[in-house]
Amino acid sequence: MLSVVNDDGTTPNGSLIDEIVREGARRMLAAALEAEVNAYIAELADQRDETGRRLVVRNGYHQPRKVTTAAGAVEVKAPRVNDKRVDEATGERKRFSSAILPPWCRKSPKISEVLPLLYLHGLSSGDFVPALEHFLGSSAGLSPATVTRLTQQWQADHAAFMDRDLSEVDYVYVWADGIHLNVRLEEAKACVLVLVGVRADGSKELVALKDGYRESAESWADLMRDRTRRDMRAPVLAVGDGALGFWKALAEVFPATREQRCWVHKTANVLDALPKSAQPGAKKAIQDISNAEDRDHAVQAIKTFAKLYGAKFPKAVKKVTDDQEQLLAFFGFPAEHWIHLRTTNPIESTFATVRLRTKDTRGAGSRTAALAMVFKLVGSAQARWRAVNAPHLVALVRAGARFERGQLVQRPEAVAA
């Protein structure tokens, strides 16, 4: 029943529109549960005992309970089933279990998704009840103990993610970066090692997330060896910061993978070697290289950069010329992919949010809890990652197609021939 509306347009349980939404949700849920039970009983109508009586029949209703949903808290009175069948394997009575509303359910899956996101974005566990009770109409399922259980589940999810089989997944491109966060990872100089990949269909996906020491070569090698043990194929191209121990590890574990240095990191490193007065002009000259029309124009732009700054600032110029091949590797791939392959932005942009959250928490309390927090937040961000441009070309890259000036010049069949 809907409540009487007060003079100010409210009801004892909130606004009229909220009450209508909750009442509608309650009725729809009740109808769905009735339909589910009726279908279950009808499907087993031929199951009878020796006297011809049905073994599966209706048996009234369970005690009412409140369930927290996106529409607020609604009272549910689920129909009950009397199932007299016996499981031959165990000897125990069979039981009907609703797929819509399991016996333990006190909140909808959507609410379960919202809670960790709110926690990870800055709302402490003790703030859930006062912050959401009025909005949802109930404090059910919003206790600090709920969040504690969730963090334990996040840790289990992260462990399962790192142990998953990679034989059915193909990452054609990968970005690698070591992210330093304001969380306790047992060692003061520890960081989070991150791999993000592009699958053959063009979609981006988190490949691995693990703690390491100072982005060392051994830490990266340990991570990538673990990926190979789970049957991960060597990517065609890897993108990362030039200072990473990642490159030494990559040469050891995936020697056939090509290297692409991140232009954002490289630009910052070069400008750090120049006086402030020279930085604006140098930055423009570096952009002329990374944004060149093709590789030939980029090589010419490097020569121009060396001519302009080589005499006065040889160390700055050397940072570009020594890594020329690795900086220009992306020109050998489809032009539509260049914007994605020039930098490690897919990792950097995601972890800008992670850094903000871990700053608010002032430490996650433990290594496993910290990694689980980061893993969960990256997982929520991953749902918003868009595929690379021209995703259909990713499979051609894996197949060995050749590209010049960003255009396809030789198909895989011709390469194989």
Side-chain angles (χ1 to χ4, degrees):
M1 287 285 292
L2 294 178
S3 301
V4 177
V5 182
N6 300 323
D7 292 337
D8 60 359
T10 64
T11 70
N13 295 319
S15 71
L16 179 59
I17 190 170
D18 289 335
E19 183 114 359
I20 292 172
V21 169
R22 281 195 289 270
E23 178 63 17
R26 186 194 66 77
R27 293 181 182 181
M28 291 179 67
L29 180 57
L33 291 172
E34 289 284 352
E36 182 185 35
V37 166
N38 291 338
Y40 180 81
I41 294 174
E43 183 180 354
L44 300 172
D46 60 335
Q47 301 287 313
R48 298 176 181 270
D49 60 15
E50 300 82 3
T51 63
R53 293 181 177 178
R54 288 188 177 185
L55 293 175
V56 184
V57 295
R58 282 287 299 271
N59 188 26
Y61 291 89
H62 290 284
Q63 289 295 319
R65 56 173 153 146
K66 285 191 174 182
V67 179
T68 305
T69 72
V74 297
E75 188 172 88
V76 178
K77 195 174 181 181
R80 189 162 52 187
V81 175
N82 185 9
D83 194 335
K84 299 178 182 178
R85 296 175 302 152
V86 177
D87 190 318
E88 295 180 359
T90 63
E92 298 180 355
R93 285 271 298 270
K94 294 186 177 182
R95 293 178 178 273
F96 166 75
S97 180
S98 172
I100 299 172
L101 187 69
W104 46 264
C105 183
R106 291 296 183 275
K107 57 183 178 297
S108 74
K110 280 295 180 184
I111 296 299
S112 296
E113 292 174 11
V114 167
L115 292 181
L117 289 178
L118 290 176
Y119 178 71
L120 289 167
H121 283 290
L123 192 67
S124 68
S125 57
D127 292 333
F128 278 117
V129 175
L132 296 181
E133 183 175 5
H134 180 71
F135 176 71
L136 296 175
S138 170
S139 61
L142 302 178
S143 68
T146 300
V147 181
T148 300
R149 289 193 297 271
L150 284 171
T151 57
Q152 294 172 349
Q153 182 60 50
W154 302 343
Q155 293 173 31
D157 292 344
H158 177 238
F161 172 80
M162 292 300 291
D163 291 341
R164 74 196 189 285
D165 177 33
L166 297 175
S167 60
E168 300 299 321
V169 187
D170 184 15
Y171 299 111
V172 180
Y173 303 131
V174 295
W175 294 276
D177 208 350
I179 306 297
H180 295 266
L181 302 170
N182 184 34
V183 292
R184 294 190 287 274
L185 292 174
E186 294 182 352
E187 295 285 347
K189 296 179 180 178
C191 66
V192 179
L193 306 181
V194 185
L195 281 179
V196 172
V198 175
R199 300 176 60 138
D201 63 359
S203 61
K204 299 172 188 171
E205 184 175 274
L206 181 66
V207 179
L209 189 149
K210 185 178 183 292
D211 59 326
Y213 181 74
R214 277 189 169 182
E215 306 179 49
S216 67
E218 186 53 39
S219 293
W220 276 111
D222 180 64
L223 173 61
M224 287 189 286
R225 290 191 203 106
D226 183 69
R227 299 301 87 191
T228 59
R229 283 194 294 270
R230 304 184 194 290
D231 296 325
M232 175 179 167
R233 292 183 64 184
V236 177
L237 181 73
V239 186
D241 177 11
L244 290 177
F246 172 75
W247 301 113
K248 182 178 179 181
L250 183 73
E252 174 192 333
V253 182
F254 295 128
T257 300
R258 296 184 62 184
E259 302 177 12
Q260 170 62 50
R261 297 291 190 270
C262 171
W263 273 101
V264 170
H265 286 89
K266 178 60 69 175
T267 300
N269 291 336
V270 172
L271 295 181
D272 283 344
L274 295 169
K276 287 187 177 181
S277 59
Q279 289 181 6
K283 185 176 182 180
K284 176 63 170 63
I286 293 171
Q287 290 174 340
D288 289 342
I289 303 171
S290 61
N291 295 327
E293 179 183 345
D294 53 40
R295 193 181 191 282
D296 292 340
H297 285 82
V299 171
Q300 185 58 47
I302 290 177
K303 292 178 180 178
T304 301
F305 177 73
K307 183 178 179 181
L308 290 173
Y309 297 95
K312 292 183 178 180
F313 313 110
K315 289 184 179 179
V317 171
K318 189 175 174 63
K319 291 178 180 290
V320 175
T321 56
D322 283 0
D323 288 341
Q324 177 172 313
E325 291 304 313
Q326 292 83 0
L327 285 168
L328 304 184
F330 71 93
F331 283 113
F333 294 86
E336 293 88 345
H337 297 173
W338 291 356
I339 191 173
H340 305 288
L341 303 179
R342 282 192 288 249
T343 72
T344 55
N345 185 61
I347 293 178
E348 289 292 332
S349 59
T350 295
F351 274 84
T353 303
V354 178
R355 283 193 181 97
L356 177 63
R357 170 53 194 161
T358 52
K359 179 179 179 181
D360 290 341
T361 59
R362 297 179 180 84
S366 72
R367 166 185 164 274
T368 53
L371 288 174
M373 177 192 295
V374 174
F375 169 71
K376 194 66 177 180
L377 188 53
V378 172
S380 67
Q382 180 174 282
R384 299 186 296 274
W385 292 348
R386 68 179 184 86
V388 298
N389 298 334
H392 63 283
L393 296 176
V394 178
L396 291 178
V397 171
R398 168 58 81 187
R402 188 160 61 88
F403 294 83
E404 290 183 3
R405 292 182 170 84
Q407 303 300 315
L408 178 65
V409 296
Q410 192 173 20
R411 290 191 172 274
E413 301 82 28
V415 174

